[in-house]
Amino acid sequence: MLFQSPTPTRFDLNFSFFGIPVRVHPLFWVIAVLFGSSSGGIVQLVTWVVVVFVSILIHELGHALAMRRYGISSNIILHFSGGLTVPESMRWGSGLASVALTPNQEIFISLAGPFSGFLLAAFAIAGTLVVGGSVTMGTLLLVLPVPVNVVLPFGVAVLNSFVLNLLWVNIFWGIFNLVPVYPLDGGHVTRYVLLKADPLNGVRKSLWVSVIAGISFALIGFFLLGSTYMAILFAFLAFQSYQALQGSVGGY
């Protein structure tokens, strides 16, 4: 529901990036502004929205380029829940057909998104260090690396804020997407890993992992991170996976 393609509107922004059609739903900007509303003045807010736009676009571009590697065309949609890369059917005779992928290819496509963000963050850190700046890293929940501060030698606060936000969004968003919960990338990776090990019951097992992980991260978000949004989101995704378990698992 949250991660499905929204209906096109006349207010959509449409363009092409690396030959891949991109559609930005107007609610994408609304949600980005709402999440950045506490960032300070108008300059900081604009900086935040630009960072979110670039970061999610790069994430989805990773998926799209990975699909292209296997001969699949796709289009990217940025919407109120983030982003979505939609594969396009190819012509087969007089009709259309989908390209069948192996589990390893599906895993590669799923991982290409988060790791594109990690690569962007690595370039940002390297660029900061090359120009004589510094990046201070900390940890979240004792194990997850997160940026704490960025200082560039140019003395422009907005640039420091831009790079810090860029690092935060790409590192945190990438880690967030690797959580083994449907329909996040980690949930798809878990699905195909378990399908390789158990073709008969792999999907069902991955749904149980999604339920357990979703509940666990909802509790972590609420009690350890103080994030009501994260708690509600993961609880909802866990419930969706549980519903799928009660229905037709094979069609999930």
Side-chain angles (χ1 to χ4, degrees):
M1 293 172 61
L2 288 176
F3 295 87
Q4 291 178 352
S5 175
T7 304
T9 76
R10 60 187 178 129
F11 302 107
D12 290 350
L13 171 65
N14 294 278
F15 61 95
S16 181
F17 192 50
F18 282 85
I20 299 166
V22 179
R23 176 167 70 91
V24 185
H25 192 276
L27 284 181
F28 173 84
W29 307 112
V30 175
I31 296 301
V33 168
L34 289 176
F35 272 101
S37 58
S38 61
S39 59
I42 185 66
V43 175
Q44 288 78 12
L45 178 59
V46 171
T47 299
W48 167 260
V49 171
V50 171
V51 164
V52 170
F53 172 73
V54 170
S55 300
I56 297 182
L57 179 60
I58 292 299
H59 178 103
E60 298 305 327
L61 180 65
H63 290 312
L65 292 179
M67 289 181 187
R68 179 184 288 179
R69 176 183 179 184
Y70 299 120
I72 302 174
S73 298
S74 63
N75 62 86
I76 293 172
I77 304 170
L78 304 187
H79 55 97
F80 64 93
S81 294
L84 190 65
T85 304
V86 182
E88 298 176 354
S89 299
M90 62 179 293
R91 291 207 167 274
W92 184 264
S94 59
L96 298 173
S98 298
V99 177
L101 298 172
T102 67
N104 284 341
Q105 290 172 334
E106 294 279 7
I107 291 171
F108 179 81
I109 290 172
S110 296
L111 292 178
F115 279 89
S116 294
F118 294 150
L119 186 61
L120 178 59
F123 277 125
I125 291 174
T128 300
L129 298 179
V130 165
V131 299
S134 64
V135 177
T136 304
M137 300 293 292
T139 57
L140 184 65
L141 300 176
L142 302 178
V143 294
L144 303 179
V146 291
V148 175
N149 192 35
V150 172
V151 178
L152 290 165
F154 312 122
V156 181
V158 67
L159 289 179
N160 294 336
S161 177
F162 178 84
V163 177
L164 180 61
N165 286 334
L166 188 72
L167 294 179
W168 176 262
V169 171
N170 282 278
I171 294 173
F172 185 79
W173 182 253
I175 294 173
F176 176 90
N177 266 277
L178 290 176
V179 175
V181 176
Y182 284 119
L184 302 179
D185 296 325
H188 289 287
V189 170
T190 303
R191 172 178 184 156
Y192 289 105
V193 167
L194 292 177
L195 269 175
K196 288 176 61 179
D198 185 356
L200 184 61
N201 295 305
V203 172
R204 187 172 185 83
K205 289 178 179 178
S206 69
L207 284 169
W208 274 117
V209 170
S210 181
V211 171
I212 296 169
I215 293 172
S216 299
F217 277 88
L219 295 174
I220 290 172
F222 187 78
F223 290 106
L224 298 183
L225 300 180
S227 173
T228 303
Y229 170 79
M230 181 175 173
I232 293 174
L233 176 61
F234 275 109
F236 175 76
L237 295 181
F239 177 69
Q240 273 197 324
S241 293
Y242 181 75
Q243 281 188 313
L245 276 166
Q246 306 310 304
S248 176
V249 175
Y252 187 78

